[in-house]
Coordinates of all heavy atoms in Angstrom, one line a residue:
Chain A
T78 N -69.8 -0.2 -46.6 CA -70.7 -1.0 -47.3 C -70.0 -2.0 -48.3 O -70.5 -2.4 -49.3 CB -71.7 -0.2 -48.1 OG1 -71.0 0.8 -48.9 CG2 -72.7 0.5 -47.2
I132 N -69.0 -7.3 -29.4 CA -68.3 -8.0 -30.4 C -67.4 -7.0 -31.1 O -67.5 -5.8 -31.0 CB -69.1 -8.8 -31.4 CG1 -70.0 -7.8 -32.1 CG2 -69.9 -9.9 -30.6 CD1 -70.8 -8.5 -33.3
K253 N -46.2 -1.5 -4.3 CA -47.3 -1.4 -3.3 C -48.1 -0.2 -3.5 O -49.2 -0.1 -3.0 CB -46.8 -1.6 -1.9 CG -46.1 -2.9 -1.6 CD -47.1 -4.0 -1.8 CE -46.4 -5.4 -1.7 NZ -46.1 -5.8 -0.4
S318 N -50.1 -5.2 2.2 CA -48.9 -4.5 2.7 C -48.9 -4.4 4.2 O -50.0 -4.2 4.8 CB -48.9 -3.0 2.2 OG -48.8 -3.0 0.8
G341 N -45.3 0.3 35.5 CA -45.1 1.6 36.2 C -45.8 1.6 37.5 O -45.3 2.1 38.5
L350 N -44.3 1.6 49.2 CA -44.1 0.7 50.3 C -42.8 0.9 51.0 O -42.6 0.8 52.2 CB -44.4 -0.7 49.9 CG -45.8 -1.1 49.6 CD1 -45.9 -2.5 49.1 CD2 -46.7 -0.8 50.8

Side-chain angles (χ1 to χ4, degrees):
Chain A
T78 48
I132 61 171
K253 296 298 170 77
S318 297
L350 287 179

